[in-house]
Amino acid sequence: SSAFVLGRGLRMYQTVNGPPWVTMASCTLDTCSALILEAGRVSMAGCSIGHGEIGKPPIVMTGGTLDISGSHIGPYVTDSLPTMDIQGGLLTMAGVRLYAFEGADVTYLKISGGQAVVSGCAFFRTSDLTFTRPTILQTSGRLSLVGCRTSDKGAGTGTFLQITTDDYHVITDNVFLGWGLTLPASHTVMSVRGNLAAIGGIQYDRGGAQQAGARVYRSTSQAITSGTI
């Protein structure tokens, strides 16, 4: 159990002795402290991670493996840089609560390389506000997002998930509660189905039947373009 504050953090990198292997339990990364993972494996459980300074994401990955479970991740500044910046390697995240303080307009998770597997997580944003940055943004790499949920959108606007490239993504059984879903205009390999209350695309249920009135995407062997039922 440790606390990293005021810019003190961890950098994991390959040495002549091999990659590092680290387990962190009940730890705090606060203010502008960061975990920079270039190689090796880090397991985090029961940790609290804050994004408290503009221009300094608390988690940056270019390689290695990062496993996060049962933790809290809280951005509390509006920032053009994401809270979790995945540029390479493998991120697995389960049972994590991500939430922004005082309506901070920031992307919680950005995947621009590598892979991210996210399951059973809660992504909360303040209701009744307008957000310009998506909660989750994929520009490259691959994403699996399964069994997650958002807070209620209320009268606000914003995008929960923005997928930029068609790849072997799996987006299933999530609850969007009115937040937007943005996907490529056509795609042939990704699978998006069983999501509830998403805005954008064409929704299909688990059995492949079209759900009247809903708008989400489903991937098939043929290209599917955006449209309204």
Side-chain angles (χ1 to χ4, degrees), residues 51-98:
H51 182 173
E53 185 168 333
I54 295 172
K56 294 186 177 180
I59 293 180
V60 179
M61 282 188 69
T62 58
T65 300
L66 174 60
D67 305 313
I68 306 177
S69 64
S71 298
H72 298 268
I73 300 175
Y76 46 97
V77 292
T78 292
D79 198 346
S80 61
L81 297 182
T83 299
M84 304 178 67
D85 188 0
I86 312 304
Q87 303 172 24
L90 170 64
L91 167 71
T92 69
M93 191 162 62
V96 173
R97 178 179 175 234
L98 301 96

